[in-house]
Amino acid sequence: LSMQPIVSEVLAPVTLLLPPIILAIENDADREFLTQIYLDYRNLIYRVALTYFPDDHCEAEDAFSNTLEKLCKRPELLRSIADAQKASYIAVITANTCRDILRRKKRNIYAYSLEDGSMDWAADPADPYESLFEHGTMEEVLDAWQTLTDKDRDS
């Protein structure tokens, strides 16, 4: 048996740990710049996302990914921002992304059918309870209302 040096394949190169959106950037200078932005500000982005979604880490991760996608679309804008303001800018982009997710969640309200117990999209996003009132009597609505917790009634 000849002794040959063993190349360690256990430790993955740093590039394998980067998000695919950064790895997909064709311009080398942009990819390097955005890699550094990612490494410098990933904790900030995730912490801001967690302030909006403290109990839902999946939503926080979605906000993180969406923010990173927005940042990767405009590297020239990020370059134009002074280093002292980059953290503030990225925090604002993250907060706006979180608010967008919350607004989207609010619009996607399901209507519950009292007749067959099925869930369906509300017919009119401006009036999410429209189909509920079309399919159920007021007594059924009041009965269903009574089963809700105070927290659910307020939301």
Side-chain angles (χ1 to χ4, degrees), residues 63-76:
F64 180 93
S65 296
N66 292 349
T67 300
L68 194 56
E69 184 177 344
K70 288 178 183 179
L71 295 174
C72 286
K73 287 181 179 179
R74 308 278 311 273
E76 69 284 348

Side-chain angles (χ1 to χ4, degrees), residues 44-98:
L44 170 69
I45 295 169
Y46 195 65
R47 279 196 326 264
V48 171
L50 281 175
T51 62
Y52 283 86
F53 306 105
D55 299 323
D56 193 345
H57 291 268
C58 289
E59 288 288 0
E61 289 172 13
D62 284 347
F64 180 93
S65 296
N66 292 349
T67 300
L68 194 56
E69 184 177 344
K70 288 178 183 179
L71 295 174
C72 286
K73 287 181 179 179
R74 308 278 311 273
E76 69 284 348
L77 177 64
L78 277 172
R79 280 191 179 96
S80 71
I81 298 171
D83 287 341
Q85 282 81 38
K86 270 194 180 80
S88 297
Y89 175 78
I90 291 171
V92 168
I93 294 297
T94 306
N96 289 341
T97 301
C98 291

Side-chain angles (χ1 to χ4, degrees), residues 7-154:
V7 177
S8 176
E9 294 180 17
V10 175
L11 297 175
V14 173
T15 55
L16 293 179
L17 301 175
L18 293 173
I21 191 156
I22 292 177
L23 294 174
I25 297 170
E26 292 181 15
N27 181 306
D28 290 340
D30 286 348
R31 187 174 50 253
E32 287 179 28
F33 174 71
L34 289 165
T35 296
Q36 195 58 52
I37 292 291
Y38 170 76
L39 294 173
D40 291 346
Y41 298 103
R42 64 185 171 188
N43 290 333
L44 170 69
I45 295 169
Y46 195 65
R47 279 196 326 264
V48 171
L50 281 175
T51 62
Y52 283 86
F53 306 105
D55 299 323
D56 193 345
H57 291 268
C58 289
E59 288 288 0
E61 289 172 13
D62 284 347
F64 180 93
S65 296
N66 292 349
T67 300
L68 194 56
E69 184 177 344
K70 288 178 183 179
L71 295 174
C72 286
K73 287 181 179 179
R74 308 278 311 273
E76 69 284 348
L77 177 64
L78 277 172
R79 280 191 179 96
S80 71
I81 298 171
D83 287 341
Q85 282 81 38
K86 270 194 180 80
S88 297
Y89 175 78
I90 291 171
V92 168
I93 294 297
T94 306
N96 289 341
T97 301
C98 291
R99 287 186 200 108
D100 289 344
I101 291 171
L102 289 170
R103 273 192 291 272
R104 232 177 297 131
K105 276 179 82 170
K106 207 172 201 179
R107 275 195 304 249
N108 295 335
I109 297 174
Y110 285 93
Y112 180 74
S113 169
L114 294 172
E115 291 175 2
D116 63 3
S118 66
M119 296 291 280
D120 197 5
W121 287 104
D124 178 10
D127 187 7
Y129 302 103
E130 177 183 317
S131 66
L132 175 68
F133 290 112
E134 284 179 9
H135 298 298
T137 66
M138 188 53 96
E139 291 165 48
E140 291 172 319
V141 171
L142 289 174
D143 288 342
W145 181 260
Q146 296 302 322
T147 64
L148 296 175
T149 64
D150 289 339
K151 182 180 176 185
D152 289 336
R153 287 182 196 157
D154 292 338

